[in-house]
Amino acid sequence: MAEARTESWTGKRIVVSPVEVTNFLGSIPLLQQLPGTSIQKIAEVVEPLQFGKGEVLLREGTPEDGLYFLWKGEVEVSIPNSMGSHTLGLLKSGDYFGYASAELIKNLNKSDVTAISEVICFVLRNENAHLLSSVSIWAQQPDESEVALLERILELETLEVDLYKGYTKPDYPSFGGNVYGGQLLGQALAAASKSVDPALLVHSLHAYFLLTGDERMPIIYKVERTRNGHTFATRQVSAIQKGRVIFTMYASFQRSMEGFEHQESMPNVPTPDQLLSQDELRKRYFSDPRIPLKKREKWAGGKPTKSSPLDVKEVDPIDEVSKEALPPWQSVWMKSKGKLTDDPALHRCAAVYASDWTFLATAKRPHRTVPIQLLSLDHSMWFHKPFRADEWLLFVVTFDFTSRLRALDLDGIGMTIQQSSPRASNGRGSVYGHFFNQNGELVMSASQEGLMRKLQKSDRSVAKSKL
């Protein structure tokens, strides 16, 4: 082992505004994978150091003393040899070098790093190395309370920069062996969110479901950095199983800014505390006299259903016993079961997950006399204001007022129509919706089209094209 040298190359400490430090560190791919709070903490403890041209930042054989993030200027990385030195390459703004370790025994630097122009670095010292690790992509430290099921579903394993692995664990909702579409949406957005500055939040996404996902297999999420800008950034995410792309998403992110505002009014509907949950409605059927006793006993003694990560309350729930055709709209209150970590990106991923829960089923309401197969084909969302997905959100849609009157034959009567499916044809159904918080603020909008056809006995849940 080389003998450690005692030379110290510290540079000159300077003052840099906290905003500049945070903005720069938020652009580093290595740090973007961490929880947003971790980047804020790192920005608070890094040392801004300035080095003159020709000054050595790190010397080969000296103990590693931290991780250097190169903000301004360029450095040369070289290895000393009998002929002088061998240049390995140049590093510029956005690159990083060195190593931060919380271990008592430090490694030795394996090369010289020399400034070839005036250089400014932000240095994360060893005593703060723990900030580079986290218990999940959403939380730096474990929470004393139990992690909500929805947050666990949206957790990803980091394989490397822009490459993640997601799972469908036994307690996650799935459908006939297929991955729930909302899980693909939420996990893909989580992967994309971990490739941008935490100050940028998704403002729109457009996704296509290409193949049904197999719940027994992990899903690889590959992120492509399509565009980087200070105000906007665009990402493409591909979800892969068995070497095939089963889902793709484009997501656009934006830094918060002031602008003009107006919005559609929230409809007047019962509050969540006035409604029954889906679990409570389901239990009512166990004692419904319209259902044969043997069937009710079979339901009551059947295999327990998987726990839902969502608390859902329908304003106008379907009577599962009746086959009466219903108008193609509905209104639903929903939120996460359990508190989510305070990360705005997580709450948007959670809302995306929830948006697929009852959405396409709205198109079935006028066609309740026949069994129908539904499969999501595409999904789009727009995000208007900050919100929390662990607080009640009302998922509703209004469409053209004159069309509403024609559909209900209620000319002259004003009323609000909720989550709607204005059209089903050619084996497809379309749905459109808005999300309101309890203060009446319109926070998100969504649209979706799905495969909608009569269910045949020969249909099987296999990974095949939805087209």
Side-chain angles (χ1 to χ4, degrees):
M1 178 181 293
E3 181 180 352
R5 302 178 187 178
T6 57
E7 296 168 278
S8 176
W9 308 89
T10 58
K12 174 187 176 183
R13 181 143 189 170
I14 60 173
V15 176
V16 179
S17 77
V19 172
E20 287 184 296
V21 177
T22 302
N23 286 345
F24 171 69
L25 294 179
S27 70
I28 305 297
L30 175 71
L31 301 182
Q32 290 170 347
Q33 300 174 104
L34 299 172
T37 53
S38 294
I39 295 183
Q40 295 171 7
K41 292 175 182 177
I42 290 173
E44 293 171 0
V45 299
V46 290
E47 297 178 34
L49 297 180
Q50 184 180 54
F51 300 85
K53 181 178 180 180
E55 191 172 354
V56 178
L57 285 73
L58 295 180
R59 177 75 73 183
E60 183 266 339
T62 59
E64 294 174 331
D65 62 349
L67 186 59
Y68 290 64
F69 297 98
L70 183 53
W71 182 34
K72 294 183 178 181
E74 293 186 348
V75 298
E76 179 186 80
V77 182
S78 60
I79 298 178
N81 57 32
S82 58
M83 304 294 294
S85 65
H86 171 66
T87 300
L88 297 178
L90 300 179
L91 301 178
K92 57 184 180 180
S93 179
D95 291 330
Y96 47 90
F97 53 91
Y99 190 77
S101 172
E103 301 295 328
L104 294 177
I105 300 177
K106 304 295 185 294
N107 294 319
L108 302 181
N109 291 307
K110 298 177 176 59
S111 58
D112 288 347
V113 179
T114 307
I116 58 177
S117 65
E118 185 179 277
V119 164
I120 298 177
C121 290
F122 299 120
V123 184
L124 181 68
R125 297 298 184 188
N126 292 317
E127 58 265 27
N128 295 307
H130 63 280
L131 295 176
L132 294 173
S133 60
S134 61
V135 296
S136 76
I137 62 173
W138 305 116
Q140 204 266 326
Q141 295 291 339
D143 196 321
E144 293 181 1
S145 60
E146 183 179 355
V147 177
L149 175 58
L150 183 50
E151 185 167 336
R152 290 196 286 115
I153 292 173
L154 297 172
E155 173 60 23
L156 299 174
E157 177 186 344
T158 303
L159 302 179
E160 57 179 81
V161 171
D162 296 341
L163 197 64
Y164 299 87
K165 183 185 290 186
Y167 298 91
T168 309
K169 296 184 178 179
D171 57 337
Y172 295 1
S174 59
F175 298 87
N178 298 330
V179 178
Y180 163 55
Q183 178 180 322
L184 288 169
L185 287 162
Q187 290 183 342
L189 181 58
S193 298
K194 290 299 156 183
S195 70
V196 298
D197 185 333
L200 274 67
L201 294 173
V202 63
H203 73 88
S204 70
L205 63 85
H206 306 277
Y208 284 93
F209 300 88
L210 307 177
L211 298 170
T212 52
D214 187 341
E215 68 170 357
R216 299 167 299 178
M217 299 186 62
I219 307 164
I220 301 299
Y221 293 96
K222 182 181 179 182
V223 182
E224 294 185 27
R225 297 171 180 250
T226 308
R227 178 183 182 274
N228 282 318
H230 177 73
T231 304
F232 290 92
T234 307
R235 298 292 183 262
Q236 181 180 7
V237 185
S238 298
I240 303 168
Q241 280 188 331
K242 300 178 183 177
R244 296 179 293 178
V245 177
I246 65 171
F247 168 93
T248 186
M249 171 192 287
Y250 269 98
S252 182
F253 297 79
Q254 181 187 12
R255 195 178 299 273
S256 178
M257 60 190 299
E258 296 295 325
F260 300 103
E261 287 198 19
H262 70 269
Q263 72 158 74
E264 188 173 306
S265 298
M266 175 178 165
N268 183 21
V269 300
T271 58
D273 58 353
Q274 297 174 303
L275 300 169
L276 297 176
S277 69
Q278 286 187 330
D279 291 338
E280 291 168 330
L281 287 170
R282 193 177 297 113
K283 289 178 181 178
R284 279 196 166 190
Y285 290 113
F286 295 163
S287 58
D288 192 323
R290 296 173 299 169
I291 302 172
L293 179 60
K294 287 187 177 180
K295 192 169 186 178
R296 282 184 275 147
E297 290 175 343
K298 183 179 179 181
W299 286 354
K303 183 180 179 181
T305 57
K306 293 182 179 180
S307 176
S308 168
L310 300 172
D311 199 352
V312 179
K313 294 189 176 185
E314 299 172 62
V315 173
D316 184 22
I318 289 177
D319 183 344
E320 297 294 348
V321 179
S322 170
K323 295 299 181 181
E324 178 186 1
L326 299 172
W329 53 73
Q330 63 175 328
S331 180
V332 180
W333 287 101
M334 50 177 44
K335 68 180 180 70
S336 166
K337 286 183 178 177
K339 188 178 185 299
L340 302 175
T341 297
D342 295 333
D343 187 325
L346 169 61
H347 287 260
R348 299 197 178 202
C349 293
V352 169
Y353 178 98
S355 69
D356 194 41
W357 196 258
T358 62
F359 204 13
L360 191 55
T362 309
K364 292 201 316 183
R365 291 170 69 94
H367 312 282
R368 303 187 62 239
T369 58
V370 294
I372 293 178
Q373 179 188 26
L374 289 177
L375 286 172
S376 303
L377 293 176
D378 59 50
H379 195 102
S380 297
M381 292 191 73
W382 298 265
F383 303 81
H384 312 308
K385 289 182 72 70
F387 60 89
R388 290 192 66 92
D390 52 11
E391 296 178 354
W392 286 112
L393 295 170
L394 181 66
F395 192 11
V396 306
V397 170
T398 56
F399 57 95
D400 180 74
F401 184 70
T402 56
S403 297
R404 191 159 73 229
L405 296 180
R406 288 196 299 270
L408 293 176
D409 194 23
L410 293 174
D411 289 350
I413 299 179
M415 61 180 295
T416 301
I417 304 303
Q418 286 80 38
Q419 196 181 95
S420 73
S421 173
R423 179 68 176 172
S425 63
N426 200 31
R428 306 189 313 276
S430 300
V431 285
Y432 302 88
H434 296 315
F435 283 85
F436 294 86
N437 63 20
Q438 287 188 282
N439 294 325
E441 295 176 309
L442 177 58
V443 297
M444 289 177 292
S445 301
S447 67
Q448 187 180 72
E449 186 173 57
L451 179 70
M452 183 179 174
R453 61 190 178 193
K454 186 176 180 180
L455 185 64
Q456 305 294 332
K457 290 183 179 180
S458 59
D459 289 335
R460 295 289 184 269
S461 297
V462 295
K464 57 185 180 181
S465 172
K466 293 185 176 184
L467 305 179

